[in-house]
Amino acid sequence: MFTFLHAADIHLDSPLRGLETYADAPVGQIRQATRRAFDNLIDLAIAERVAFVLLSGDLYDGEWKDYNTGLFFVNRMGMLRKENIRVFLASGNHDAASQITKSLRLPDNVHLFSTKQPETLLLEELGVAVHGQGYDKRVLAENIARTYPQGLPHHLNIGLLHTSLTGRQGHEPYAPCSLDDLMAKGYDYWALGHVHLREEVSRSPWIVFPGNIQGRHIHEPGAKGATLVRVEEGRIATVEHRDLDVLRWSLCRVDLTDCTTMDLAIDAVRQGMETEQAEAEGRPLAIRLQLVGKSELHAELHRDSALLTEEFRGLAAGLGEMWLEKVVFATQRPVALAVDLGEETPMAELIQAIEGLDFEPAALMELVPGIGELQKKLPPELLHEGGLVPASISEASDLREEIKEMLIARLLGQGGRR
C-alpha cells in the first residue's frame, strides 16, 4: 500500500487580484498566498508519507520577476528529497513562457518530463509506470495524448497531461483531446492540469483535474487544493480532495425578497457573510456580495449603492479577516414600472427610453451629456481605470444594467438615505 499526491496549476508568485486597491487589504497575505499554499502541499506530502508527488503543469506564472521564485521551488523540492519523496513534473503553457525555467537545475528527486515526446518512468518497487510530456511552447494546439504509449501490463499506469480536454470555460483550448483518447491508453489514473476548478472527469479510469491550490481572484472561488490517492494491492482504493488554500474567495448571494426595510436587508447581508465565514473554516475571506430577489427596496438599493457599498464593507471588516471585493446590485422590482406609472405617462416613456439606451461608453456620453457628473458619483465597483468600462467582457451586461437602474432610481427618487 502507498499513497501519492496530485496537484496542478500552482502559479507560484502569481498575484491575487481584486483587493489591491483597498487600503485595508491583506497585502502581505496576497503577496505570499501561492507560496504559503505550496508550503501546505509540501507539509501534506510529508505528513501523509506519500511515495511521490505529481505536478501537472503551470508550476510558474510565466516569466519570473526574479530568480527567487525558482529558488523557492528548489528549496521545497529539497525538503521532499530529505523525506525520500520523488516528484514528477510536466510543464504547462505558463511554464513554457519562462526562459529562466529552462536553465533551472532541479534536485535529483525531481523528474521534468520531456517536451519533445512522451516519456515513461518506471517505479518497479511500487509497480508503477508514470507517463508524461510537457509543453515546449505556450500555445500547444496538437493532441499529444494520442502519442502517449499504451499502459504497461502488470503496472499501475499514470499519465500526466496539461490539457483542456474538449474545452472548459475560461481556459484556452490547449493540448485538446477527448475522453476516448485518454481511455484508449489503458491507464489507471490520468493526472490532468490546466483547469482551475476541481473535476473528477471519470472514475473508471480515474481522470482528475485537481484544480489550482490557491484561488487568485473572485472567478476562482471555493476550496482549493490537491488530490490524495491511496493505492492498495496495485489498484486505486481512494481519491480524496485536500484543502491547501490560505485565503478563500467566495460569492455571497443574498436574497432580499422578504426584506421590507433596509435594516432587514442589512441583517440579511450580515447573516450571509457569517455563513460564508463559517464555511471558510478560519481562513481569511474575500467575498463578492450579490444582492438578488424581487425586492421592495430595489430602487433605494440602486439609488444609494455607493453609500450601501461602504456600509457593507464595514460589516465585512467588523467580522474580522474578511474583505469585500465588490457588491453586485442585481435585485428586481416586485412590480413592473409600467404598472406603477401607467404605460402612456411621460415618466413611463422617459424610463422606457433609458431602458432602451445603448450603454456602450461612447454612445452613452453622446446620448446623455450629463453622464460625466453621474460618473463621478458612481461607486468604484462600476468603474475600471477611471472610466465606464467593465473589468471583463463577461461583466459588461451587469454593468449596463446597474447604470440603467441607477439612472432610473435617481430619476424617480428624491435624494438618498437620511
Side-chain angles (χ1 to χ4, degrees):
M1 182 181 76
F2 66 91
T3 58
F4 65 87
L5 194 56
H6 169 208
D9 301 286
I10 311 299
H11 291 279
L12 274 178
D13 290 342
S14 174
L16 273 61
R17 303 191 302 273
L19 299 178
E20 61 278 358
T21 60
Y22 299 127
D24 63 341
V27 176
Q29 295 185 60
I30 290 173
R31 290 176 178 170
Q32 295 294 321
T34 54
R35 287 195 182 199
R36 292 171 58 210
F38 193 67
D39 277 339
N40 287 343
L41 175 71
I42 300 302
D43 292 343
L44 177 62
I46 294 172
E48 292 288 344
R49 300 181 181 275
V50 303
F52 52 87
V53 175
L54 309 174
L55 299 177
S56 303
D58 284 359
L59 171 63
Y60 304 113
D61 197 48
E63 197 64 63
W64 308 343
K65 292 182 178 180
D66 59 59
Y67 210 79
N68 286 327
T69 301
L71 293 177
F72 171 82
F73 175 68
V74 169
N75 176 269
R76 296 322 188 255
M77 294 300 97
M79 293 172 63
L80 295 182
R81 184 178 184 276
K82 290 180 181 179
E83 302 294 331
N84 296 314
I85 297 174
R86 299 186 66 176
V87 179
F88 298 98
L89 171 62
S91 59
N93 53 290
H94 282 275
D95 302 317
S98 172
Q99 293 300 315
I100 301 178
T101 303
K102 299 173 183 178
S103 61
L104 183 68
R105 189 177 296 275
L106 298 171
D108 59 9
N109 64 316
V110 180
H111 180 80
L112 179 62
F113 280 100
S114 170
T115 61
K116 303 301 180 184
Q117 60 188 16
E119 280 186 277
T120 298
L121 272 294
L122 297 180
L123 306 178
E124 293 292 6
E125 70 279 11
L126 297 175
V128 172
V130 185
H131 315 273
Q133 179 180 346
Y135 283 41
D136 63 350
K137 54 189 176 182
R138 184 180 179 101
V139 178
L140 183 61
E142 297 81 17
N143 182 352
I144 62 174
R146 290 179 179 173
T147 66
Y148 275 52
Q150 290 298 125
L152 298 180
H154 312 300
H155 285 75
L156 182 84
N157 287 271
I158 299 172
L160 268 71
L161 180 62
H162 197 77
T163 177
S164 61
L165 288 183
T166 54
R168 292 295 186 277
Q169 185 176 4
H171 297 279
E172 296 293 337
Y174 296 149
C177 61
S178 69
L179 195 58
D180 287 342
D181 290 331
L182 301 186
M183 289 184 166
K185 297 302 175 180
Y187 295 179
D188 301 278
Y189 187 95
W190 276 98
L192 305 184
H194 186 51
V195 175
H196 290 189
L197 180 66
R198 188 177 192 277
E199 180 182 354
E200 293 180 358
V201 181
S202 169
R203 293 190 174 189
S204 182
W206 283 97
I207 301 175
V208 178
F209 284 111
N212 53 345
I213 66 171
Q214 171 60 56
R216 299 174 301 156
H217 46 71
I218 194 60
H219 300 297
E220 295 179 349
K224 298 293 182 179
T227 298
L228 185 68
V229 182
R230 193 174 307 280
V231 178
E232 297 179 359
E233 298 181 353
R235 306 186 68 168
I236 293 176
T238 61
V239 176
E240 304 174 359
H241 170 82
R242 294 295 181 90
D243 292 346
L244 300 173
D245 52 337
V246 297
L247 184 149
R248 188 160 294 175
W249 299 83
S250 177
L251 177 62
C252 181
R253 192 171 185 270
V254 179
D255 192 330
L256 301 182
T257 299
D258 297 327
C259 296
T260 55
T261 68
M262 193 57 70
D263 285 341
L264 289 174
I266 292 172
D267 284 343
V269 169
R270 181 186 292 106
Q271 291 173 22
M273 289 180 173
E274 290 174 345
T275 298
E276 296 297 331
Q277 189 173 50
E279 292 179 357
E281 300 179 322
R283 292 172 180 80
L285 190 63
I287 69 169
R288 174 173 291 187
L289 177 62
Q290 184 180 39
L291 305 179
V292 300
K294 292 186 176 181
S295 173
E296 296 177 18
L297 304 173
H298 175 81
E300 187 176 353
L301 288 165
H302 284 274
R303 186 183 65 221
D304 301 328
S305 58
L307 180 60
L308 286 167
T309 294
E310 294 307 316
E311 189 156 353
F312 295 145
R313 184 166 287 129
L315 283 179
L319 291 173
E321 290 205 293
M322 180 185 294
W323 293 270
L324 189 61
E325 181 262 356
K326 181 178 181 180
V327 181
V328 177
F329 294 88
T331 56
Q332 298 175 313
R333 300 178 189 86
V335 179
L337 275 176
V339 175
D340 276 347
L341 300 175
E343 295 184 0
E344 298 182 359
T345 65
M347 182 67 76
E349 291 178 2
L350 180 56
I351 289 174
Q352 185 178 8
I354 291 174
E355 290 180 330
L357 283 175
D358 177 0
F359 272 73
E360 293 297 333
L364 187 61
M365 291 293 183
E366 180 179 346
L367 289 169
V368 188
I371 195 64
E373 288 302 312
L374 174 61
Q375 178 174 324
K376 295 177 184 178
K377 299 177 183 179
L378 287 171
E381 287 74 17
L382 294 185
L383 304 177
H384 178 63
E385 297 182 356
L388 287 168
V389 182
S392 68
I393 294 175
S394 64
E395 295 176 349
S397 179
D398 290 341
L399 172 61
R400 294 188 186 100
E401 290 307 310
E402 287 190 46
I403 294 175
K404 287 179 182 179
E405 292 298 339
M406 184 177 293
L407 283 168
I408 293 171
R410 290 186 182 278
L411 182 62
L412 295 175
Q414 299 295 325
R417 294 175 68 201
R418 298 295 194 269

